Amino acid sequence: MEEDKKPEENKEPEVVEPKVEEKQAEVVNNGNESNGMAIASLILGIISILFNFIGYSWIGLILGIVGIILGVNAKKKNPSSMASAGLVLSIIGTALCAVVFIACVACVGIIGLGASLA
Amino acid sequence: MLPYINIFGRQIATYGFIIVLGIIIGTMIAVFYFSKFNKVKRDDVFYSILYGIIGIVVGAKLLYILTNIPLLVQSENILDTLLQMLSGGFVFYGGLIGGILGIFIYAKQFKIEFKSLLLTIVPVIPLVHAIGRIGCLCAGCCYGMEYHGFGAITFHNSLIAPNEIPLFPTQILESICNLLIFVILTITYKKYIGTYKTVGLYCMLYSIIRFILEFFRGDLIRGIYLGISTSQWISIALLILGFVIFIKGEKNNENGVRNKSVRNR
């Protein structure tokens, strides 16, 4: 019986070791991925704000929305200051651009178009 | 009344500014107050609202563009026409479906209960709407019929509403009514906690108010079918839907205030 148990005990490390490595690799991959998303969110947020000031709010709005989605995903996977900064800047950029673009149901573009041309 | 305001020398549409302000206030109330009563973290409420707003913008604009594809194809400069469409026109149903879809996508993506998120966000919708109607007043849209009685509004330099004619104050009245709905939903929130009854109550109250106020509206672009406007038909459907949700809304469950183990940070 003792002889039977020994090989089983020896096998355990062989089974556990790859799992730990896989988990570590997964964590590293997730970290890298979320870091990439955080950087992308930060850049898109900054560009979104810039586009609002140079008069291309519609481009800023699209970039800001993409920045928000990336920022939220980055924050959920790996909360970091970079992800927070990216998210905040994307929200500011989107809000600034949205102010120009949002028009009421009945406004039929008059206000938004007028403001964007101003 | 006040279509544009100047901020740091930059001309900004008042409607957009006020609606963004309304969304910020609504989001803060949902995140810091209503999230306490549901099994959701503040972060998740905030992020789901962001997804919801993105859904509203994308859904409303997408449906507007889709319904105007013939106009887009016929135009000489497609990019200019597309930009005009992006800057104006907002299909309510597109926004509604898009907003709910946005929250649903967030819930699915991060494995969070959709019901809890929805119940946290719904009570602030009338508040955002109430603030938004002030924006309508500034822009001059959603105006009332000609009226010479108490509280009549006369626009002098509106791009949308007829100028120099006293009009019924539909925007102010709808804003006050929405504010009242918000107060009612907040008071009854604890009673109906963890159930869809709040959603049903909101649908019923808003549809009744909208149905009545539509009789005093003066804007001409909305269609009339069988004697009542499109919005009134929508209101009837919403009233029935709200009533069904309110009646069928299940009783309190484990999502209630009593469950303090999952309270926010």
Side-chain angles (χ1 to χ4, degrees), chain A residues 52 58 65 68-69 72-73 75-76 87 91 95 99 101-115 118, chain B residues 4 10-13 15-17 19-20 44 46-47 50-51 54 83 86-88 106 109-110 136 139 141-142 159-160:
Chain A
N52 174 61
W58 63 278
I65 285 173
I68 288 176
I69 295 169
V72 168
N73 279 281
K75 280 237 2 150
K76 288 291 285 184
L87 184 61
I91 291 169
V99 165
F101 266 95
I102 296 172
C104 189
V105 182
C107 298
V108 203
I110 297 167
I111 295 169
L113 189 65
Chain B
Y4 303 109
R10 195 175 159 81
Q11 203 173 39
I12 292 170
Y15 181 84
F17 178 74
I19 208 88
V20 168
D44 288 323
F46 179 64
Y47 299 149
L50 289 179
Y51 268 56
I54 292 168
L83 280 178
L86 280 172
S87 63
Y106 181 84
Q109 190 183 350
F110 297 108
C136 291
C141 61
C142 311
L159 293 166
I160 305 148

